[in-house]
Structure formats: C-alpha cells, structure tokens
Amino acid sequence: MITTTGLTKVYSSRGREVTALDGVDLHVREGEVYGVIGRSGAGKSSLIRCVNLLERPTSGTVTVAGQDLTALAGRGRRASKELREARSRIGMVFQHFNLLSSRTVKDNVELPLEILGVTGAERSRKALELLDLVGLADKAKAYPAQLSGGQKQRVGIARALAGDPKVLLSDEATSALDPETTRSILQLLRDLNRQLGLTVLLITHEMDVVKTICDSAALMKKGKIIESGTVSELLATPGSELAQELFPVSGEASAPDRTVVDVTFHGEAATQPVISQLSRTYNVDISILGAAMDTVGGKQIGRMRIELPGRYEENVVPVGFLREQGLQVDVVELAALAAVPAQGAALVEEVAK
C-alpha cells in the first residue's frame, strides 16, 4: 500500500545542508498498522510528511496505492490537481490536533469535504456519521476549547477520515496525551483499521505504542531505517535492536564461570513452563536476572535474561533444549571466552550459527 524507494530529504539552513532522510526504503502492506519508531531527530516526521508530499523529497519515490506521488510533482496545473486528489485519499492525524478554534467540532470535520466541493447536506451527514464512529456524536456543536485532549484527537481522526482514505498517517498522535487517553486513542485506531480496512502508518518514540497496536515496525536512526519487519519476526531475529528496545532486560553474570543468555518467548512457547522444564530435565540451577513480558497483537510475548552455571561449552545441550522448544536464544556472556582466548573465535562462530 505504501512504498518508498531511496527516499532522501535534505534541508538547507543558514548555508548548511542537513540530511533528514538518507535513502529510506519502506514497505507497508495493505491493511496493516505499521509503526516507525526512533528518537527525536531520527527523521520520522520528515518520512511521514514525505509520504503524502507535504514535504517534497530531494530524491527517491513515494508510491501509495499503486500511484507514484513523486511523479505528480512539478508538472503543471494538471499534476497539482492529481496530487490533491491523491492526497484526499490519505488521511493525516497530527500531534497537536490542528483544529480551527472558531469552528464547531462538526464544522472542523466538514472542512476537508468543503475543500472537495461536497454539498452542505452531504457534508453534514458525513460529519455526524464520523463523529458517531469516533464516539463524539454528542459533541457536534461544541468548540475545541470545550474538549479534552483525547476528545480533540478524536475530532482530528474523524476529520482525517472525511475523504474515505485508504491510508491513515499518524504523526505522534498520542505523545501529548496522558497514558489512559493514549490507550483509548490507540484502541480507536486499531478498531478503525479493522472496521474500515485502513492501512495505518504511524510514527512514535514510544515503544508501548508499537507493542499495543503495530503489526510491523521499523527502527530509524540518523535518517536511515536500521531494521524493519513484523513485530514477531523482529523478536525472533538474533541481535535485533528493536526487540531489545521493546522488551529490555538487564543483568550480568554473578561469577566468571557463568553463562548469560537472553530467551525470547513468543507463540505457544510463551505459555509453557520451559524454564522450569529445563531446570528439572538437566538438574541445573537457573538464575533469572531480568524479564519483560507483554501482550502484542493479542499474544503474550517477552524476553528473559537467565544465568546458567558453567562456561558456554558446558551449556550447549541446555541451550539447544531451549531452541528446540521454539525459543530464540541469544548468548550475552560467554565465560569461556575470557578463560580460553584461543577458543574465542570458534565459539563466537558457533553461537552465530
């Protein structure tokens, strides 16, 4: 539904050039909720604004629903009209709501329809329908100043849906809201995704947003996508930075003759007593150094850092047992490396395999 290829955006400021996007390739499938996460300055906002060409890319292409939007830029009046029509099929939800204070809630939702030339009666009908969809049917005559932050964002979402878009873009839509309101807005976005078949692309710096509603995610740093994929794929990828951010665990070996491993639980394995089975089967004392569990996409997923007695070569069989149960196992500390430097390279190669 959304594809960017080699997307680059360079800003000029006071004689300097700043690269906000550096060759970004993004692929968002139809009907999924896709989260782009990264810290401030990573390029997230530039990316989402380039998707609907609110910002013109310096180079690269943006394709939405099979239409190359970048090909519509800069080709005269006809191209501008085609670009406006394409944008009308892409809804946008902003961080700070961007509602018109002098208009009622209903009039704010009607605004995109006015621009599209929809008649008054049809605008009114559609606006009331959308307000009912987002749970604000009783606020149609209210003004933005009379609403809470969560209610304002619901109006913003209703307005974004006015043109019956196929794609909904969310630019930090929950970052200005309290945790409880954030949960309700995220649930609304997920419900709309399912009810309307919307493809949702959202940017955020909050890992909880990704865990709560995202089917897929990408991690951005310094204008580049470092890794991307479905959340379940990322959690099963050895050394995934995003998996570590989503489910952070910590803890170091208590002694030099210990081996520390991170175990990622997902699917059916997340509900099985695998660690206790390991302890009983191999008569091994296991220390849990840290754990992070949560529900993602209706399934329990998590990571646990455990300490096994002995060097890695003494724990090959227990580690193999965990992997046979469908768990992702990453070795964090290899005690044998410090004790036997000559074997270090071979062990690292074995663990990588």
Side-chain angles (χ1 to χ4, degrees):
M1 180 58 77
I2 302 172
T3 300
T4 71
T5 305
L7 198 63
T8 301
K9 178 63 180 178
V10 179
Y11 295 97
S12 296
S13 176
R14 298 179 181 178
R16 296 176 55 243
E17 289 192 342
V18 178
T19 301
L21 299 175
D22 189 3
V24 172
D25 294 333
L26 182 72
H27 304 280
V28 181
R29 295 174 297 182
E30 183 176 1
E32 74 175 341
V33 179
Y34 195 110
V36 178
I37 191 160
R39 297 180 180 178
S40 178
K44 308 184 304 297
S45 292
S46 293
L47 173 60
I48 203 166
R49 291 173 68 83
C50 281
V51 168
N52 60 4
L53 262 65
L54 286 178
E55 293 282 356
R56 297 294 177 96
T58 303
S59 62
T61 61
V62 177
T63 302
V64 178
Q67 187 174 30
D68 183 357
L69 301 189
T70 44
L72 302 179
R75 291 191 307 174
R77 187 172 299 174
R78 180 180 176 184
S80 298
K81 181 175 183 295
E82 290 176 346
L83 183 57
R84 284 197 302 272
E85 291 175 353
R87 281 179 177 151
S88 72
R89 296 187 289 273
I90 304 173
M92 183 85 168
V93 184
F94 300 92
Q95 177 181 1
H96 298 295
F97 322 129
N98 291 5
L99 301 179
L100 299 179
S101 60
S102 61
R103 283 182 163 233
T104 65
V105 164
K106 178 171 168 287
D107 289 341
N108 266 281
V109 177
E110 286 187 28
L111 181 59
L113 299 173
E114 287 182 37
I115 295 171
L116 292 172
V118 178
T119 61
E122 177 60 18
R123 289 202 309 267
S124 178
R125 184 199 66 78
K126 183 71 173 180
L128 292 173
E129 178 184 292
L130 290 170
L131 287 172
D132 184 54
L133 185 64
V134 301
L136 288 180
D138 60 331
K139 299 293 184 181
K141 296 182 179 179
Y143 286 86
Q146 299 171 297
L147 304 180
S148 66
Q151 290 172 330
K152 290 177 183 177
Q153 196 57 283
R154 286 174 180 266
V155 176
I157 292 171
R159 181 183 58 190
L161 298 175
D164 295 320
K166 296 180 179 180
V167 170
L168 185 64
L169 306 180
S170 170
D171 185 2
E172 297 275 14
T174 60
S175 64
L177 305 175
D178 63 77
E180 184 177 351
T181 305
T182 291
R183 285 191 291 272
S184 71
I185 293 298
L186 292 178
Q187 186 58 55
L188 174 61
L189 290 175
R190 174 52 96 180
D191 290 344
L192 294 172
N193 158 253
R194 291 170 175 163
Q195 292 174 26
L196 305 178
L198 275 176
T199 301
V200 181
L201 174 62
L202 59 87
I203 66 169
T204 182
H205 63 273
E206 301 171 285
M207 287 294 169
D208 282 344
V209 172
V210 175
K211 286 193 286 188
T212 301
I213 66 168
C214 290
D215 302 302
S216 298
L219 175 64
M220 285 196 75
K221 287 185 177 181
K222 297 180 179 179
K224 296 182 178 182
I225 289 183
I226 304 303
E227 57 181 343
S228 62
T230 66
V231 174
S232 58
E233 287 173 350
L234 292 167
L235 289 171
T237 301
S240 167
E241 288 188 45
L242 193 48
Q244 293 173 14
E245 292 283 350
L246 285 170
F247 295 93
V249 292
S250 60
E252 299 179 355
S254 60
D257 59 341
R258 297 289 190 270
T259 300
V260 176
V261 297
D262 284 347
V263 183
T264 302
F265 298 81
H266 52 87
E268 294 183 3
T271 62
Q272 303 301 316
V274 179
I275 300 301
S276 60
Q277 289 175 6
L278 172 66
S279 180
R280 290 196 305 270
T281 302
Y282 296 99
N283 193 30
V284 58
D285 292 327
I286 300 171
S287 298
I288 298 176
L289 304 180
M293 301 290 289
D294 212 329
T295 300
V296 178
K299 298 179 181 179
Q300 193 173 34
I301 297 176
R303 297 174 73 235
M304 180 181 293
R305 179 163 291 182
I306 62 174
E307 180 188 73
L308 302 172
R311 301 171 180 172
Y312 176 73
E313 66 266 27
E314 299 169 11
N315 288 299
V316 170
V317 174
V319 169
F321 170 83
L322 292 173
R323 288 173 173 153
E324 288 174 358
Q325 309 310 306
L327 303 177
Q328 174 65 42
V329 182
D330 298 313
V331 180
V332 179
E333 295 183 20
L334 298 174
L337 289 180
V340 191
Q343 298 178 2
L347 282 169
V348 170
E349 184 176 353
E350 180 182 353
V351 172
K353 289 179 180 178

mmCIF file of all heavy atoms in Angstrom, residues 311-332:
data_model
loop_
_atom_site.group_PDB
_atom_site.id
_atom_site.type_symbol
_atom_site.label_atom_id
_atom_site.label_comp_id
_atom_site.label_asym_id
_atom_site.label_seq_id
_atom_site.Cartn_x
_atom_site.Cartn_y
_atom_site.Cartn_z
ATOM 1 N N ARG A 311 30.654 -22.650 31.987
ATOM 2 C CA ARG A 311 31.019 -21.982 30.754
ATOM 3 C C ARG A 311 30.080 -22.402 29.631
ATOM 4 O O ARG A 311 29.311 -23.348 29.758
ATOM 5 C CB ARG A 311 32.469 -22.311 30.393
ATOM 6 C CG ARG A 311 33.464 -21.898 31.467
ATOM 7 C CD ARG A 311 34.839 -22.438 31.159
ATOM 8 N NE ARG A 311 35.800 -22.046 32.184
ATOM 9 C CZ ARG A 311 37.032 -22.508 32.253
ATOM 10 N NH1 ARG A 311 37.455 -23.386 31.350
ATOM 11 N NH2 ARG A 311 37.849 -22.095 33.208
ATOM 12 N N TYR A 312 30.177 -21.681 28.524
ATOM 13 C CA TYR A 312 29.251 -21.940 27.427
ATOM 14 C C TYR A 312 29.326 -23.377 26.932
ATOM 15 O O TYR A 312 28.291 -24.013 26.678
ATOM 16 C CB TYR A 312 29.497 -20.976 26.265
ATOM 17 C CG TYR A 312 28.607 -21.290 25.078
ATOM 18 C CD1 TYR A 312 27.244 -21.000 25.119
ATOM 19 C CD2 TYR A 312 29.113 -21.918 23.945
ATOM 20 C CE1 TYR A 312 26.415 -21.312 24.066
ATOM 21 C CE2 TYR A 312 28.288 -22.238 22.886
ATOM 22 C CZ TYR A 312 26.943 -21.931 22.943
ATOM 23 O OH TYR A 312 26.132 -22.254 21.897
ATOM 24 N N GLU A 313 30.538 -23.929 26.783
ATOM 25 C CA GLU A 313 30.651 -25.282 26.230
ATOM 26 C C GLU A 313 30.006 -26.315 27.146
ATOM 27 O O GLU A 313 29.623 -27.400 26.698
ATOM 28 C CB GLU A 313 32.120 -25.638 25.952
ATOM 29 C CG GLU A 313 33.004 -25.745 27.187
ATOM 30 C CD GLU A 313 33.726 -24.452 27.475
ATOM 31 O OE1 GLU A 313 33.202 -23.385 27.097
ATOM 32 O OE2 GLU A 313 34.823 -24.501 28.073
ATOM 33 N N GLU A 314 29.835 -25.966 28.409
ATOM 34 C CA GLU A 314 29.151 -26.856 29.343
ATOM 35 C C GLU A 314 27.629 -26.716 29.248
ATOM 36 O O GLU A 314 26.895 -27.521 29.834
ATOM 37 C CB GLU A 314 29.610 -26.556 30.771
ATOM 38 C CG GLU A 314 31.107 -26.770 30.999
ATOM 39 C CD GLU A 314 31.561 -26.221 32.339
ATOM 40 O OE1 GLU A 314 30.687 -25.864 33.161
ATOM 41 O OE2 GLU A 314 32.778 -26.135 32.559
ATOM 42 N N ASN A 315 27.170 -25.685 28.536
ATOM 43 C CA ASN A 315 25.732 -25.398 28.456
ATOM 44 C C ASN A 315 25.166 -25.547 27.042
ATOM 45 O O ASN A 315 24.042 -25.097 26.775
ATOM 46 C CB ASN A 315 25.463 -23.981 28.963
ATOM 47 C CG ASN A 315 25.616 -23.865 30.470
ATOM 48 O OD1 ASN A 315 24.905 -24.522 31.222
ATOM 49 N ND2 ASN A 315 26.556 -23.053 30.914
ATOM 50 N N VAL A 316 25.928 -26.148 26.152
ATOM 51 C CA VAL A 316 25.464 -26.303 24.771
ATOM 52 C C VAL A 316 24.159 -27.106 24.721
ATOM 53 O O VAL A 316 23.218 -26.755 23.996
ATOM 54 C CB VAL A 316 26.546 -26.978 23.905
ATOM 55 C CG1 VAL A 316 25.976 -27.356 22.544
ATOM 56 C CG2 VAL A 316 27.744 -26.050 23.738
ATOM 57 N N VAL A 317 24.087 -28.166 25.503
ATOM 58 C CA VAL A 317 22.886 -29.010 25.488
ATOM 59 C C VAL A 317 21.670 -28.276 26.073
ATOM 60 O O VAL A 317 20.595 -28.265 25.457
ATOM 61 C CB VAL A 317 23.136 -30.341 26.222
ATOM 62 C CG1 VAL A 317 21.841 -31.148 26.341
ATOM 63 C CG2 VAL A 317 24.180 -31.164 25.463
ATOM 64 N N PRO A 318 21.771 -27.630 27.255
ATOM 65 C CA PRO A 318 20.623 -26.866 27.762
ATOM 66 C C PRO A 318 20.165 -25.756 26.810
ATOM 67 O O PRO A 318 18.960 -25.538 26.640
ATOM 68 C CB PRO A 318 21.140 -26.278 29.083
ATOM 69 C CG PRO A 318 22.183 -27.239 29.522
ATOM 70 C CD PRO A 318 22.853 -27.694 28.269
ATOM 71 N N VAL A 319 21.137 -25.047 26.198
ATOM 72 C CA VAL A 319 20.770 -24.003 25.234
ATOM 73 C C VAL A 319 20.056 -24.623 24.035
ATOM 74 O O VAL A 319 19.067 -24.085 23.524
ATOM 75 C CB VAL A 319 22.022 -23.209 24.787
ATOM 76 C CG1 VAL A 319 21.697 -22.323 23.594
ATOM 77 C CG2 VAL A 319 22.556 -22.363 25.943
ATOM 78 N N GLY A 320 20.551 -25.782 23.582
ATOM 79 C CA GLY A 320 19.892 -26.479 22.477
ATOM 80 C C GLY A 320 18.475 -26.894 22.832
ATOM 81 O O GLY A 320 17.571 -26.837 21.992
ATOM 82 N N PHE A 321 18.257 -27.296 24.094
ATOM 83 C CA PHE A 321 16.909 -27.657 24.554
ATOM 84 C C PHE A 321 15.958 -26.476 24.413
ATOM 85 O O PHE A 321 14.817 -26.629 23.940
ATOM 86 C CB PHE A 321 16.972 -28.115 26.009
ATOM 87 C CG PHE A 321 15.621 -28.279 26.655
ATOM 88 C CD1 PHE A 321 14.886 -29.448 26.474
ATOM 89 C CD2 PHE A 321 15.066 -27.259 27.430
ATOM 90 C CE1 PHE A 321 13.632 -29.594 27.069
ATOM 91 C CE2 PHE A 321 13.822 -27.400 28.024
ATOM 92 C CZ PHE A 321 13.104 -28.569 27.842
ATOM 93 N N LEU A 322 16.424 -25.284 24.820
ATOM 94 C CA LEU A 322 15.573 -24.100 24.722
ATOM 95 C C LEU A 322 15.213 -23.810 23.267
ATOM 96 O O LEU A 322 14.064 -23.473 22.951
ATOM 97 C CB LEU A 322 16.285 -22.893 25.339
ATOM 98 C CG LEU A 322 16.498 -22.922 26.858
ATOM 99 C CD1 LEU A 322 17.351 -21.748 27.300
ATOM 100 C CD2 LEU A 322 15.157 -22.914 27.588
ATOM 101 N N ARG A 323 16.187 -23.928 22.381
ATOM 102 C CA ARG A 323 15.919 -23.665 20.968
ATOM 103 C C ARG A 323 14.967 -24.693 20.372
ATOM 104 O O ARG A 323 14.152 -24.378 19.503
ATOM 105 C CB ARG A 323 17.237 -23.624 20.198
ATOM 106 C CG ARG A 323 18.053 -22.364 20.500
ATOM 107 C CD ARG A 323 19.413 -22.374 19.877
ATOM 108 N NE ARG A 323 20.085 -21.078 20.071
ATOM 109 C CZ ARG A 323 21.389 -20.908 20.113
ATOM 110 N NH1 ARG A 323 22.204 -21.957 19.961
ATOM 111 N NH2 ARG A 323 21.908 -19.705 20.287
ATOM 112 N N GLU A 324 15.049 -25.936 20.848
ATOM 113 C CA GLU A 324 14.131 -26.979 20.368
ATOM 114 C C GLU A 324 12.691 -26.693 20.768
ATOM 115 O O GLU A 324 11.754 -27.175 20.125
ATOM 116 C CB GLU A 324 14.560 -28.336 20.924
ATOM 117 C CG GLU A 324 15.831 -28.888 20.283
ATOM 118 C CD GLU A 324 16.306 -30.157 20.973
ATOM 119 O OE1 GLU A 324 15.655 -30.573 21.964
ATOM 120 O OE2 GLU A 324 17.314 -30.737 20.526
ATOM 121 N N GLN A 325 12.492 -25.886 21.816
ATOM 122 C CA GLN A 325 11.135 -25.528 22.261
ATOM 123 C C GLN A 325 10.564 -24.354 21.471
ATOM 124 O O GLN A 325 9.481 -23.860 21.772
ATOM 125 C CB GLN A 325 11.141 -25.179 23.757
ATOM 126 C CG GLN A 325 11.799 -26.208 24.646
ATOM 127 C CD GLN A 325 11.299 -27.611 24.402
ATOM 128 O OE1 GLN A 325 10.093 -27.862 24.457
ATOM 129 N NE2 GLN A 325 12.206 -28.551 24.139
ATOM 130 N N GLY A 326 11.303 -23.899 20.449
ATOM 131 C CA GLY A 326 10.833 -22.794 19.622
ATOM 132 C C GLY A 326 11.186 -21.429 20.168
ATOM 133 O O GLY A 326 10.582 -20.428 19.762
ATOM 134 N N LEU A 327 12.165 -21.367 21.071
ATOM 135 C CA LEU A 327 12.558 -20.101 21.665
ATOM 136 C C LEU A 327 13.773 -19.526 20.939
ATOM 137 O O LEU A 327 14.625 -20.265 20.446
ATOM 138 C CB LEU A 327 12.897 -20.282 23.144
ATOM 139 C CG LEU A 327 11.798 -20.885 24.028
ATOM 140 C CD1 LEU A 327 12.312 -21.061 25.429
ATOM 141 C CD2 LEU A 327 10.554 -20.021 24.013
ATOM 142 N N GLN A 328 13.823 -18.188 20.889
ATOM 143 C CA GLN A 328 15.006 -17.511 20.373
ATOM 144 C C GLN A 328 15.979 -17.332 21.542
ATOM 145 O O GLN A 328 15.622 -16.776 22.575
ATOM 146 C CB GLN A 328 14.632 -16.144 19.794
ATOM 147 C CG GLN A 328 15.817 -15.307 19.353
ATOM 148 C CD GLN A 328 16.569 -15.930 18.201
ATOM 149 O OE1 GLN A 328 15.954 -16.434 17.268
ATOM 150 N NE2 GLN A 328 17.884 -15.911 18.270
ATOM 151 N N VAL A 329 17.198 -17.826 21.370
ATOM 152 C CA VAL A 329 18.191 -17.755 22.441
ATOM 153 C C VAL A 329 19.416 -17.011 21.935
ATOM 154 O O VAL A 329 20.027 -17.404 20.937
ATOM 155 C CB VAL A 329 18.593 -19.164 22.934
ATOM 156 C CG1 VAL A 329 19.590 -19.046 24.084
ATOM 157 C CG2 VAL A 329 17.372 -19.958 23.366
ATOM 158 N N ASP A 330 19.771 -15.926 22.610
ATOM 159 C CA ASP A 330 20.968 -15.149 22.281
ATOM 160 C C ASP A 330 21.923 -15.194 23.465
ATOM 161 O O ASP A 330 21.538 -14.852 24.595
ATOM 162 C CB ASP A 330 20.606 -13.687 21.974
ATOM 163 C CG ASP A 330 19.696 -13.559 20.766
ATOM 164 O OD1 ASP A 330 20.002 -14.198 19.753
ATOM 165 O OD2 ASP A 330 18.689 -12.833 20.858
ATOM 166 N N VAL A 331 23.136 -15.623 23.216
ATOM 167 C CA VAL A 331 24.132 -15.689 24.280
ATOM 168 C C VAL A 331 24.693 -14.291 24.520
ATOM 169 O O VAL A 331 25.207 -13.652 23.610
ATOM 170 C CB VAL A 331 25.259 -16.671 23.919
ATOM 171 C CG1 VAL A 331 26.281 -16.729 25.053
ATOM 172 C CG2 VAL A 331 24.686 -18.064 23.662
ATOM 173 N N VAL A 332 24.582 -13.819 25.761
ATOM 174 C CA VAL A 332 25.023 -12.476 26.112
ATOM 175 C C VAL A 332 26.467 -12.490 26.591
ATOM 176 O O VAL A 332 27.280 -11.667 26.200
ATOM 177 C CB VAL A 332 24.119 -11.872 27.209
ATOM 178 C CG1 VAL A 332 24.598 -10.481 27.600
ATOM 179 C CG2 VAL A 332 22.681 -11.829 26.718
#
